[in-house]
Amino acid sequence: MRKTSTAKTQVPVAMQLTPDLVAKTFKLVEDDGPEPNWTPISPQQLDELVSRVEQEACDEEIWVFAYGSLMWNSGFEVAASADAVAYGWHRAFSLRIERLRATSDAPGLMLALRPGGSCSGLVLKLSCETKQQDLRTLLAREIRYSEVCDMVRWISVKTPTGTLRALTFWASTKRSRITEKIPLDDAAVLIAQACGPAGSCAEYLHRTVLDLADRNIFDRNLWQLQQMVATRLRTL
């Protein structure tokens, strides 16, 4: 998927990927367990990852840069939030999946940060009172396999009050097998077909683009992608 920039601007009038089209992608799917050929992260490894992030935070506040589902479903109590832009990064559907919102027979894609461009989103602050537990919950959600522990990192983001250091989740180049650059045409095919026990990839795309639109954020690639997915679904 090519690099893109995002900005606070007036979004186009209406999405083509409507709830009715998204509903076409839903089906009952059994949970087949973890992703094939990947090792679920153990409680001990998760504890070590939490400790590593806490040490890197140096007892300071922990902010998380949200650019996809964390914007509309953080999974933890947000102590504070602010608009933020990550320069040198862009969101892209480049994380290949065969579980959650997909299956091995109909694989799909989810978002990850990739180098290049810029990305408008939010920073979310973890509560000081529940910081360790919330951090563990967050990392358990985003880092499910021991092989991908390097897909969490710190980046600098610009906010209305200045620059913050924020934790985020990216498409590590060490994981090129699951984080390849994917042309929009190919991404549209995968997103339109994929559904798993957690829902469909089209639903994930719809909710993300809708949330961005509500925040007056226009991502050119995602806007084009929802149009392409809508076109495919209308033919079903």
Side-chain angles (χ1 to χ4, degrees):
M1 188 176 292
R2 67 180 181 276
K3 297 178 182 179
T4 186
S5 62
T6 56
K8 285 277 186 176
T9 185
Q10 186 62 45
V11 300
V13 177
M15 288 179 60
Q16 292 187 28
L17 184 58
T18 63
D20 287 345
L21 289 175
V22 170
K24 285 187 171 187
T25 66
F26 294 143
K27 58 185 176 182
L28 185 61
V29 179
E30 296 292 334
D31 188 346
D32 288 333
E35 292 274 346
N37 305 315
W38 295 97
T39 310
I41 191 169
S42 69
Q44 180 180 350
Q45 289 172 318
L46 183 57
D47 288 340
E48 291 171 354
L49 183 57
V50 171
S51 296
R52 189 195 91 193
V53 172
E54 287 182 320
Q55 291 173 6
E56 293 169 348
C58 301
D59 294 326
E60 295 181 355
E61 298 173 337
I62 294 180
W63 292 83
V64 179
F65 179 63
Y67 54 86
S69 62
L70 285 175
M71 298 179 69
W72 43 266
N73 180 24
S74 65
F76 59 88
E77 184 175 352
V78 177
S81 65
D83 295 339
V85 181
Y87 291 102
W89 298 93
H90 67 284
R91 62 169 67 79
F93 274 90
S94 62
L95 183 61
R96 292 181 180 270
I97 59 169
E98 296 183 28
R99 296 293 185 267
L100 291 177
R101 293 181 179 271
T103 64
S104 295
D105 291 335
L109 296 171
M110 295 184 76
L111 286 170
L113 274 191
R114 296 190 65 89
S118 65
C119 181
S120 294
L122 296 177
V123 279
L124 311 175
K125 180 183 171 184
L126 272 62
S127 169
C128 294
E129 290 76 16
T130 58
K131 181 169 65 175
Q132 186 177 67
Q133 182 55 50
D134 288 344
L135 178 60
R136 196 177 198 280
T137 299
L138 172 67
L139 292 174
R141 164 179 162 170
E142 301 293 331
I143 305 295
R144 296 173 178 267
Y145 303 101
S146 59
E147 292 91 348
V148 297
C149 287
D150 61 335
M151 290 178 68
V152 57
R153 62 168 295 161
W154 299 91
I155 62 172
S156 294
V157 298
K158 296 288 184 66
T159 75
T161 57
T163 301
L164 284 176
R165 183 172 177 247
L167 199 68
T168 198
F169 303 94
W170 71 302
S172 169
T173 53
K174 293 181 181 179
R175 308 298 160 203
S176 59
R177 190 156 59 89
I178 59 169
T179 58
E180 299 170 332
K181 290 184 179 180
I182 299 172
L184 286 179
D185 288 342
D186 294 342
V189 172
L190 291 168
I191 291 169
Q193 76 177 9
C195 183
S200 70
C201 285
E203 177 194 26
Y204 175 86
L205 170 62
H206 177 264
R207 292 194 66 175
T208 301
V209 176
L210 190 62
D211 186 86
L212 291 172
D214 287 344
R215 301 178 192 281
N216 219 24
I217 298 174
F218 175 50
D219 185 302
R220 290 193 300 271
N221 273 359
L222 264 61
W223 194 262
Q224 185 178 355
L225 193 54
Q226 63 86 20
Q227 293 173 325
M228 297 168 72
V229 171
T231 298
R232 293 194 63 84
L233 293 176
R234 278 194 289 267
T235 66
L236 297 178

